Amino acid sequence: MTTTPSPAPPVLPALPAQADRLIHLGVHTTAGLTADALRRAAADGPADGLLVVSPTCAPVSALAPLLSLGGRSGFVVQDMTDVDDFMPLPDLDVPTTPVYVIEPPDRGDDLANWSPDEALVELTARGRSPLTLAEGVHWALQVPGVLERNRCFMTIGSRRVGARGRLDARTPALWISGGTGRDGRERRGAPKVGWCWAGNRHTWLGFASTTARHAVASGGQEA
């Protein structure tokens, strides 16, 4: 397995433009935030980062249909009805504020064909933190082109904890539907939120990561 650095990720819009994009999609309303509050949060973060609304305010199940690629809307796979139970790993330093900013993410193309279990160890060794599912969805909302045929990514910073405190063996990912099986032919080419087993490898899935997350002040939650 190689450790060649990944190509640079697609360039993110400026934070104010990211806030406007989320406002246009209605994410602020879903999260119970005012448009002005989201814009203030964007003004408080690192200029080149990715703006993220916490999944405790705007769950992935509500954001996935807002994804779009080639005119096709995003969706969550049918056997992941519990998608909102996939929360950040306990040891990740994820801000508890309604809005936060992460440093520019990397798609982790060089880790394609690694298993999630292997990739988590490698990312940690590199001083990087795996993206959560919510962070990955926000990235694709801002830069739809981050999802490419044979170059998509996993978000192993999110896992579901079972009743006995054990991690669910499923690890979430974002990729492009081939329109097969239960996806349906009409969804061919659509952005897809799905999962893979923690011990399996896929040649077309990298492992998205960041170097840091920053809490930002928003306030202005709606009553």
Side-chain angles (χ1 to χ4, degrees):
M1 290 180 285
T2 64
T3 56
T4 304
S6 303
V11 177
L12 284 163
L15 283 178
Q18 292 183 40
D20 287 342
R21 167 73 172 156
L22 296 180
I23 291 165
H24 173 74
L25 293 172
V27 174
H28 66 302
T29 301
T30 299
L33 294 168
T34 66
D36 285 345
L38 191 55
R39 291 190 176 104
R40 284 196 297 272
D44 190 42
D48 60 349
L50 172 66
L51 191 66
V52 179
V53 179
S54 171
T56 60
C57 302
V60 168
S61 61
L63 299 186
L66 303 178
L67 295 168
S68 181
L69 195 63
R72 309 250 183 207
S73 298
F75 67 100
V76 179
V77 294
Q78 290 186 15
D79 55 355
M80 202 177 182
T81 55
D82 54 356
V83 64
D84 293 331
D85 293 337
F86 284 74
M87 301 303 290
L89 290 168
D91 58 346
L92 292 192
D93 187 18
V94 178
T96 58
T97 50
V99 185
Y100 63 96
V101 176
I102 70 172
E103 293 293 327
D106 181 273
R107 196 168 56 185
D109 292 348
D110 65 307
L111 295 176
N113 210 31
W114 291 50
S115 74
D117 287 340
E118 293 165 338
L120 182 58
V121 173
E122 177 64 18
L123 289 173
T124 301
R126 296 181 185 184
R128 300 191 64 86
S129 179
L131 250 59
T132 67
L133 178 55
E135 292 163 357
V137 168
H138 277 79
W139 194 15
L141 284 173
Q142 298 292 348
V143 188
V146 74
L147 296 178
E148 301 179 80
R149 288 286 179 191
N150 300 316
R151 285 185 180 273
C152 296
F153 60 90
M154 301 202 70
T155 54
I156 59 174
S158 290
R159 296 289 289 272
R160 181 181 178 277
V161 179
R164 297 183 179 180
R166 296 179 180 176
L167 291 179
D168 192 306
R170 295 172 296 168
T171 51
L174 286 89
W175 71 92
I176 301 172
S177 173
T180 59
R182 288 182 290 178
D183 287 1
R185 294 173 60 186
E186 70 280 2
R187 282 176 165 163
R188 179 176 174 80
K192 171 178 177 176
V193 174
W195 59 271
C196 300
W197 298 118
N200 287 5
R201 299 173 180 171
H202 298 277
T203 59
W204 41 276
L205 286 173
F207 292 85
S209 65
T210 183
T211 54
R213 298 172 174 89
H214 308 276
V216 293
S218 56
Q221 284 189 288
E222 296 174 351

